[in-house]
Amino acid sequence: MMKNSSGIKKIAINTGGGDAPGLNAVIKAATVAALNRGWEVVGIRDGYNGIFLPENYPNGDGLMNLTYEVVEDITPLGGTILGTTNRGNPMRYPMKDTKGNIVEIDRTDEIVAGFRREKIDALLAIGGDGSLSMANVFVQKGIRVVGIPKTIDNDLDETVITFGFDTARAFATESIDRLHTTARSHRRVMIVEVMGRNAGWIALEAGIPSSADVILLPEIPYDINIVADHLNKHFAKGRKHAIVVVAEGAFPAGGDISVIEREAGKMERLGGAAERLANSLKNLIENEIRTVNLGHLLRGGSPTAFDRLLSLRFGAAAIRALEEGENGIMIALDPPNVRYVPLETISGKTKNVPLDADTMITARDLGICFGN
Ligand code: F6P
């Protein structure tokens, strides 16, 4: 047992936003490192719901006791044993007013009261931009918080990479590899949609190693005529098939992102970027087109060794940070080490693909078209 000089007796861990492979590895490392310091560890179920809406859980218990036994075998598991949500943001919680209209209410004080009620000394918040911005609100309200960056989209600022991205990139690459053979057999253009709402990291870093011919990113509004021209020249050279990778957040110049659902208190649901592209292309090229949306497959499965190691490092580092008395920071990867970044500096910022990055230049050298 290590010496406990931090004054911490009990911590809570929560996972918020879309799940990502590696969440359970973070939970494991943080739990073991905290238990080894003599701290009690609880997990909050379903984002903050377990502490915010305990009445929704059997016996009013929205917390999970995290022990060595509970976390023993979870490193290779996808998803999160705690559950998560990207709906019902407590900062803008949708409720009906007296006239029956939906209004958004800030209910974060109720969560703060929950932390006090449960005698939680510190929170480990694992999430993306939205969850970490909310974690920063709790810091302002007197809760001690350390954040850990998570998203398969890899669009969080200040960290070289987020966990979950490597697994998504590897799966997308393998999936696109498989599409080459069927596309070639039928002389088709296969359009593959991947997640990437604000940033095109998955599209770019899976599209290049899987030999895509066109990659469309949210960072570069595309011109459909340039895409069609590129494909027509490609087939004129005798090529039999083509692969187009499109990030869900990519959009045509002068157009908008493709949204399938908008609702109060909820993040916009994106989707349909591949279908829209196929419709715009069908009269401009000869070859048949098919679309595939890899969607949530990219969020599933067992984390790669890279993501497991990164997640375990993040989880252990967060406990060391709390022990050192840190508060209001996020653990960031800064190879070969991790560093602490103030939560307030990352809120609302997106890490986009830099258009002058070597990876982009490499893609252009390989003849890949970005639609501009
Ligand atoms: O985790 C981020 C993300 O994967 C985005 O790329 C995507 O737009 C979003 O989650 C989808 O979330 P869900 O369908 O689970 O609400």
Side-chain angles (χ1 to χ4, degrees):
M1 188 85 54
M2 296 176 201
K3 195 164 151 267
N4 181 9
S5 54
S6 63
I8 291 178
K9 293 199 181 77
K10 181 174 179 181
I11 64 162
I13 302 177
N14 86 323
T15 53
D19 67 343
L23 281 168
N24 286 324
V26 177
I27 295 168
K28 162 142 186 183
T31 299
V32 170
L35 293 174
N36 285 348
R37 285 163 170 82
W39 306 353
E40 186 184 346
V41 189
V42 292
I44 305 173
R45 295 185 196 272
D46 310 323
Y48 290 102
N49 287 355
I51 200 154
F52 170 40
L53 305 165
E55 64 278 9
N56 292 351
Y57 295 85
N59 307 319
D61 190 8
L63 303 181
M64 184 191 283
N65 205 17
L66 293 175
T67 61
Y68 289 110
E69 291 71 28
V70 170
V71 300
E72 193 179 0
D73 297 322
I74 66 173
T75 300
L77 288 188
T80 159
I81 60 165
L82 298 178
T84 186
T85 177
N86 52 12
R87 302 286 180 260
N89 178 347
M91 277 154 67
R92 298 198 321 265
Y93 198 80
M95 294 183 84
K96 280 198 181 145
D97 67 9
T98 46
K99 292 185 187 128
N101 300 320
I102 301 283
V103 288
E104 294 182 342
I105 311 279
D106 181 353
R107 296 184 64 182
T108 48
D109 283 341
E110 294 167 57
I111 297 180
V112 171
F115 283 119
R116 308 267 185 248
R117 185 183 65 234
E118 299 293 338
K119 297 191 173 22
I120 291 165
D121 300 309
L123 168 71
L124 205 70
I126 316 171
D129 178 31
S131 307
L132 295 180
S133 300
M134 201 172 342
N136 195 35
V137 169
F138 295 131
V139 176
Q140 312 311 318
K141 294 184 184 236
I143 304 293
R144 192 159 154 189
V145 182
V146 166
I148 294 183
K150 163 250 48 165
T151 163
I152 66 160
D153 290 3
N154 194 35
D155 59 358
L156 268 177
D157 206 25
E158 298 284 350
T159 184
V160 165
I161 198 166
T162 51
F163 71 84
F165 170 65
D166 184 61
T167 308
R169 174 176 60 184
F171 182 79
T173 304
E174 188 197 324
S175 305
I176 300 165
D177 281 349
R178 286 167 181 251
L179 292 170
H180 273 281
T181 50
T182 172
R184 191 178 301 118
S185 308
H186 291 266
R187 297 179 175 257
R188 282 176 175 154
V189 174
M190 199 60 91
I191 303 179
V192 191
E193 182 171 327
V194 294
M195 283 192 174
R197 129 182 318 263
N198 302 308
W201 293 101
I202 299 176
L204 181 70
E205 298 203 5
I208 298 174
S210 63
S211 307
D213 302 290
V214 178
I215 300 177
L216 302 178
L217 311 174
E219 288 84 351
I220 307 178
Y222 62 85
D223 180 331
I224 194 67
N225 292 308
I226 293 179
V227 175
D229 192 47
H230 181 85
L231 291 171
N232 284 326
K233 285 188 178 136
H234 169 88
F235 287 113
K237 283 184 217 149
R239 302 291 309 279
K240 292 190 169 56
H241 76 290
I243 300 282
V244 177
V245 179
V246 56
E248 61 181 349
F251 56 95
D256 223 335
I257 50 171
S258 184
V259 176
I260 50 179
E261 189 188 37
R262 277 195 180 97
E263 223 181 290
K266 293 185 180 177
M267 195 171 67
E268 281 175 341
R269 269 183 68 206
L270 304 191
E275 277 300 323
R276 174 175 64 180
L277 185 64
N279 281 332
S280 314
L281 269 180
K282 71 177 181 227
N283 296 323
L284 302 174
I285 63 173
E286 298 266 300
N287 297 61
E288 257 192 335
I289 306 171
R290 291 289 186 270
T291 61
V292 177
N293 186 354
L294 293 180
H296 293 84
L297 289 168
L298 297 168
R299 294 228 302 248
S302 184
T304 57
F306 179 92
D307 274 339
R308 293 182 199 191
L309 182 59
L310 181 61
S311 303
L312 294 166
R313 289 176 65 192
F314 278 174
I319 298 303
R320 292 197 300 275
L322 284 175
E323 185 177 46
E324 290 159 14
E326 291 289 345
N327 183 15
I329 55 112
M330 179 191 87
I331 308 294
L333 183 68
D334 188 5
N337 295 314
V338 296
R339 70 186 170 97
Y340 304 156
V341 182
L343 274 176
E344 62 202 11
T345 63
I346 61 124
S347 294
K349 278 202 224 154
T350 300
K351 184 181 70 185
N352 283 110
V353 172
L355 300 186
D356 57 354
D358 174 69
T359 315
M360 290 293 294
I361 300 166
T362 301
R364 290 197 193 272
D365 276 337
L366 288 166
I368 295 172
C369 167
F370 289 102
N372 67 339

